[in-house]
Amino acid sequence: MANCSQCKSFFAIPEGADDFAPGKGDCVRQEQDAKGKWYESKPVMGDMTSDKCPKFAQKK
Ligand code: SF4
């Protein structure tokens, strides 16, 4: 079963950062529409299941 830590949008929070917690990361994705591009970011846990996430993309 895939989880967020296997997704290319998952970026682990480095130890020492204010919001560090074991296994925690940020989900950062680029979005685009007719007017331009922007980034969406939200905190996620690496062990969260990604089965129901339509944006999951396997990390290479
Ligand atoms: S929430 Fe979805 S897009 Fe974000 S890291 Fe998890 S599986 Fe990937």
Side-chain angles (χ1 to χ4, degrees):
M1 192 162 58
N3 58 36
C4 283
S5 67
Q6 295 168 288
C7 175
K8 71 175 188 180
S9 300
F10 179 83
F11 297 90
I13 294 171
E15 240 179 291
D18 289 350
D19 54 346
F20 172 80
K24 190 177 175 189
D26 288 317
C27 167
V28 183
R29 292 183 304 101
Q30 189 182 63
E31 296 283 355
Q32 182 172 10
D33 68 10
K35 289 190 270 185
K37 294 178 181 175
W38 69 95
Y39 285 94
E40 297 273 347
S41 174
K42 64 176 179 181
V44 292
M45 295 307 289
D47 61 0
M48 276 168 47
T49 180
S50 56
D51 289 358
K52 293 192 177 93
C53 180
K55 307 286 187 181
F56 176 79
Q58 184 70 46
K59 212 177 249 182
K60 287 180 188 156

